[in-house]
């Protein structure tokens, strides 16, 4: 913003100086200084052929190669501009880099668009790929997806596989056109989203004008609002939103739709039949200050292998988790995406949240069903929730009895005997096999977890948590364990009875998950 303001102001000053009634020598000096200043700020595409070596500073290690490539870009895309600006890296450090700004032409659903983008050319170019961003105008919003994150940063296979001399900026721009014609990265903001963006810009302007922190804090909400954000507007995302809303535990539920197609996502129905405390948005700023963020999105497509499927989800999370962590720094991340143990680990790594505040839905639904079957269908009675399903969600889950379990039966079976307990568990597992995991069932389970968090119930749930150090597991993996859950996330893992068979199964699951994690490109 500051550099653009300087350029505009400088241009106005040049025009104004040319009209002044001054001595011709003095006017010449003023105009010369202003023009030199303007050239330092912006290098016009029409002049890069003439002053090419001045356009690319000496700090660029391969200036000749960079200059030649920029000439080719200028010929193919005459609308681009080149400028030297400070780029801020993730660690806060800054560096003056060459910036290439312009538009790429895209045809989407029969209409033509010019997508504004900017590329930051690193000083080791062309042997390293540029850093690419969308450059939306004030009335545009970013469609977060597999190839674009909430900040507008662009991720493409062409960038990941960058290799000089095969990879070039023109090839990159062509791939952007091809990719964006399948999934348009920008959309027109609605009036409410535009108003929120203006409010954000107003907030930023107050900071730049020097308004102190106390004044700003006094104008923000008091933080007492129980706000939940559900990311993903598929069947599971909507089921979560409806279940949480129906339970009455949240003051506000935000559904973030990451899909371009509102008809397929299902949010159109919520827009037709709105609920009083549910908001539909595609702007990540709408999730700000959430106490719980539920992640339900999955990346679907033509997948060649299971590893490719998981890696696709990793790429999707890479575009979402940093924005979630930015807008809701003190939230609990509740992961429902599949495979839940892997994606919980990915969320923990990418968010850099404490392990206690990143959990997966794990075996919560199966455990609750299992306990209900034993108590209500098989007419057995346990003191508290003595039996749990733990470990991996799915076929590899393990049954475990709590350390304090002492069961009795209304049918006079002696369930303190381990064989009787195993017989009861086997019967319950047979009944459980007939139950599927429908979206609405998982949604109700997630609403129950959300209730325990928001109301600090400190209730025990079988959820995916970091298990390094448990059952002699020495790697960083997430498995379901009975955990005490409250407003700060997991506060304690309940102790289970020491059994060799349980430990062996959990260790095998941990080894398998760790092996898969090692193959992922995080």
């Amino acid at each position: 913003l500051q550099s653009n303001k300087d350029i505009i102001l400088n241009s106005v000053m040049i025009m104004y100086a040319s009209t002044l009634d001054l001595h011709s020598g003095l006017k010449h000096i003023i105009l010369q200084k202003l023009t030199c200043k303007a050239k330092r700020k912006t290098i016009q595409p029409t002049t890069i052929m003439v002053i090419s070596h001045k356009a690319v500073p000496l700090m660029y290690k391969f200036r000749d190669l960079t200059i030649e490539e920029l000439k080719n870009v200028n010929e193919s895309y005459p609308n681009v501009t080149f400028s030297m600006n400070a780029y801020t890296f993730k660690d806060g450090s800054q560096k003056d880099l060459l910036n290439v700004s312009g538009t790429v032409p895209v045809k989407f659903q029969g209409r033509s668009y010019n997508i504004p983008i900017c590329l930051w050319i690193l000083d080791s170019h062309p042997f390293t790929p540029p850093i690419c961003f969308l450059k939306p105008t004030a009335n545009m919003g970013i469609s977060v997806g597999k190839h674009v994150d909430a900040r507008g940063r662009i991720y493409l296979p062409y960038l990941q596989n960058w290799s000089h001399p095969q990879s070039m900026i023109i090839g990159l721009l062509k791939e952007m056109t091809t990719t964006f014609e399948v999934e348009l990265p920008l959309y027109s903001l609605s009036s409410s989203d535009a108003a929120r963006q203006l409010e954000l810009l107003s907030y930023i302007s107050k900071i730049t004008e020097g308004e102190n922190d106390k004044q700003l804090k006094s104008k923000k909400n008091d933080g007492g609002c129980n706000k939940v954000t559900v990311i993903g507007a598929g069947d599971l995302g909507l089921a979560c939103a409806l279940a949480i809303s129906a339970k009455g535990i949240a003051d506000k539920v935000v559904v973030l739709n990451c899909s371009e197609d509102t008809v397929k996502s299902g949010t159109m129905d919520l827009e037709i039949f709105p609920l009083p405390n549910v908001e539909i948005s595609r702007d990540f700023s709408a999730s700000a200050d959430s106490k719980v963020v539920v992640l339900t999105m999955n990346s679907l497509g033509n997948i060649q292998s299971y590893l490719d499927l998981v890696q696709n989800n990793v790429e999707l999370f890479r575009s979402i988790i940093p924005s979630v962590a930015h807008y809701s720094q003190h939230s609990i991340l509740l992961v429902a995406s599949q495979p839940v143990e892997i994606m919980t680990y990915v969320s923990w790594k990418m968010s850099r949240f404490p392990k206690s505040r990143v959990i997966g839905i794990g075996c919560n639904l199966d455990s609750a069903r299992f306990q209900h079957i034993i108590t209500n269908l098989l007419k057995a009675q346990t003191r508290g929730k003595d039996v749990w399903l733990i470990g991996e969600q799915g076929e590899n889950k393990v049954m475990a009895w709590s350390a304090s379990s002492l069961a009795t039966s209304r049918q006079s079976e002696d369930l303190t005997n381990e064989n009787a307990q195993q017989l009861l568990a086997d019967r319950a597992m047979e009944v459980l096999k007939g139950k599927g995991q429908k979206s609405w069932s998982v949604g109700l389970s997630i609403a129950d977890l959300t209730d325990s968090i928001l109301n600090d119930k400190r209730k025990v749930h079988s959820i995916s948590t970091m298990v390094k150090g448990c059952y002699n597991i020495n790697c960083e993996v997430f498995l379901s364990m009975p955990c005490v859950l409250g407003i700060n996330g997991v506060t304690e893992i309940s102790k289970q009875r020491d059994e060799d068979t349980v430990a062996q199964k959990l260790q095998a699951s941990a080894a398998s998950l760790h092996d898969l994690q090692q193959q992922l490109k995080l």
Side-chain angles (χ1 to χ4, degrees):
L1 287 173
Q2 186 64 37
S3 63
N4 286 340
K5 186 172 73 174
D6 287 347
I7 293 166
I8 294 166
L9 181 60
N10 205 76
S11 300
V12 172
M13 289 172 68
I14 291 171
M15 289 188 289
Y16 176 67
S18 64
T19 65
L20 294 176
D21 186 16
L22 296 173
H23 185 274
S24 60
L26 178 59
K27 182 184 289 189
H28 175 75
I29 292 170
I30 293 172
L31 287 171
Q32 188 179 42
K33 284 185 177 293
L34 289 172
T35 304
C36 288
K37 184 179 179 183
K39 284 182 178 179
R40 286 199 301 272
K41 287 288 182 183
T42 304
I43 304 158
Q44 298 301 327
T46 54
T47 61
I48 194 166
M49 305 299 184
V50 179
I51 55 169
S52 54
H53 281 82
K54 293 182 181 178
V56 182
L58 289 170
M59 69 177 191
Y60 279 79
K61 301 178 181 68
F62 310 99
R63 292 179 73 207
D64 291 341
L65 291 174
T66 302
I67 289 164
E68 190 62 33
E69 189 166 358
L70 292 180
K71 287 180 180 179
N72 294 333
V73 170
N74 189 60
E75 290 174 0
S76 300
Y77 295 84
N79 69 322
V80 297
T81 59
F82 307 86
S83 61
M84 287 298 298
N85 288 302
Y87 178 79
T88 304
F89 292 90
K90 286 183 179 180
D91 61 1
S93 62
Q94 289 190 331
K95 192 170 190 178
D96 285 335
L97 294 177
L98 186 63
N99 179 278
V100 180
S101 296
T103 60
V104 291
V106 169
K107 288 185 178 179
F108 184 76
Q109 295 181 350
R111 301 182 66 180
S112 297
Y113 299 90
N114 288 313
I115 304 299
I117 52 98
C118 68
L119 314 180
W120 293 91
I121 310 299
L122 297 174
D123 57 9
S124 50
H125 188 85
F127 293 95
T128 52
I131 302 170
C132 306
F133 285 90
L134 295 171
K135 201 174 180 181
T137 59
N139 63 341
M140 293 179 183
I142 296 170
S143 294
V144 175
K146 179 180 176 181
H147 300 297
V148 179
D149 68 15
R151 297 179 303 140
R153 183 159 180 179
I154 299 168
Y155 300 89
L156 293 172
Y158 197 94
L159 291 168
Q160 294 178 350
N161 302 321
W162 186 276
S163 176
H164 179 76
Q166 291 83 8
S167 303
M168 302 182 72
I169 293 176
I170 289 180
L172 172 62
L173 296 176
K174 288 179 179 177
E175 175 150 325
M176 285 184 186
T177 296
T178 303
T179 303
F180 295 158
E181 284 180 346
V182 176
E183 185 177 348
L184 201 64
L186 297 170
Y187 63 94
S188 296
L189 286 172
S190 65
S191 56
S192 60
D193 286 336
R196 184 181 294 113
Q197 185 150 321
L198 287 173
E199 184 181 350
L200 180 62
L201 290 173
S202 173
Y203 181 79
I204 292 170
S205 69
K206 286 172 185 174
I207 295 174
T208 58
E209 288 167 7
E211 192 168 352
N212 63 48
D213 290 341
K214 288 183 179 179
Q215 289 174 312
L216 291 171
K217 286 177 182 177
S218 68
K219 295 181 181 180
K220 294 175 76 175
N221 293 330
D222 59 6
C225 175
N226 276 342
K227 182 176 178 181
V228 177
T229 293
V230 179
I231 301 182
D235 290 343
L236 178 54
L238 294 182
C240 291
L242 293 173
I244 293 168
S245 176
K247 211 169 177 70
I249 53 178
D251 300 315
K252 187 174 184 180
V253 180
V254 176
V255 179
L256 275 181
N257 181 14
C258 301
S259 171
E260 179 68 27
D261 194 335
T262 58
V263 177
K264 287 184 179 179
S265 70
T267 55
M268 183 179 72
D269 294 332
L270 271 179
E271 291 170 352
I272 298 170
F273 309 106
L275 295 174
N277 65 335
V278 178
E279 175 188 347
I280 308 295
S281 181
R282 289 162 66 186
D283 185 348
F284 269 82
S285 65
S287 69
D289 300 320
S290 294
K291 290 190 175 177
V292 178
V293 177
V294 184
L295 302 161
T296 70
M297 61 285 181
N298 286 290
S299 178
L300 302 175
N302 298 321
I303 305 303
Q304 300 299 317
S305 68
Y306 182 66
L307 179 61
D308 291 334
L309 172 67
V310 179
Q311 186 63 48
N312 265 23
N313 264 2
V314 170
E315 299 305 326
L316 180 59
F317 271 52
R318 196 195 311 280
S319 67
I320 290 172
I321 296 298
S323 299
V324 172
H326 171 72
Y327 283 110
S328 299
Q329 298 177 12
H330 305 291
S331 63
I332 307 296
L333 299 187
L334 177 50
V335 182
S337 303
Q338 297 297 328
V340 67
E341 294 84 13
I342 296 290
M343 300 320 297
T344 306
Y345 170 80
V346 170
S347 300
W348 173 60
K349 280 291 186 183
M350 290 184 176
S351 67
R352 299 185 180 181
F353 279 10
K355 62 183 181 182
S356 61
R357 291 202 285 117
V358 183
I359 60 175
I361 59 171
C363 297
N364 184 61
L365 176 57
D366 279 342
S367 247
R369 285 173 168 177
F370 190 71
Q371 292 161 353
H372 179 82
I373 290 167
I374 286 178
T375 303
N376 296 283
L377 299 185
L378 300 182
K379 304 301 181 184
Q381 189 176 27
T382 62
R383 294 198 309 180
K385 294 187 175 181
D386 293 327
V387 60
W388 297 89
L389 295 180
I390 62 175
E392 276 187 88
Q393 188 187 70
E395 295 297 321
N396 294 326
K397 55 182 173 283
V398 182
M399 189 216 54
W401 293 85
S402 64
S404 60
S405 63
L406 231 171
T408 58
S409 172
R410 294 176 186 171
Q411 298 176 339
S412 71
E413 286 181 325
D414 181 14
L415 296 180
T416 57
N417 182 281
E418 287 188 8
N419 292 330
Q421 285 183 343
Q422 187 61 48
L423 178 63
L424 175 67
D426 290 342
R427 288 165 62 191
M429 287 294 283
E430 284 300 316
V431 178
L432 185 64
K433 283 180 181 178
K435 302 290 292 180
Q437 293 221 352
K438 304 296 184 183
S439 294
W440 64 269
S441 303
V442 180
L444 289 172
S445 170
I446 289 173
D448 188 48
L449 293 172
T450 305
D451 184 21
S452 291
I453 296 169
L454 294 180
N455 293 312
D456 200 20
K457 286 191 170 181
R458 298 184 179 273
K459 185 178 171 183
V460 182
H461 297 271
S462 182
I463 51 177
S464 306
T465 189
M466 171 66 73
V467 292
K468 185 177 181 180
C470 301
Y471 291 95
N472 293 322
I473 296 171
N474 298 317
C475 50
E476 293 181 336
V477 294
F478 282 72
L479 289 171
S480 279
M481 290 287 161
C483 299
V484 179
L485 190 61
I487 193 66
N488 296 315
V490 173
T491 58
E492 181 185 347
I493 298 178
S494 297
K495 185 174 176 57
Q496 304 302 296
R497 187 187 300 172
D498 290 331
E499 295 183 59
D500 291 339
T501 54
V502 171
Q504 289 169 6
K505 289 179 180 178
L506 293 176
Q507 288 164 8
S509 289
S512 175
L513 290 170
H514 185 255
D515 180 60
L516 179 56
Q517 287 169 186
Q518 294 298 103
Q519 297 178 63
L520 296 173
K521 299 174 183 177
L522 293 178

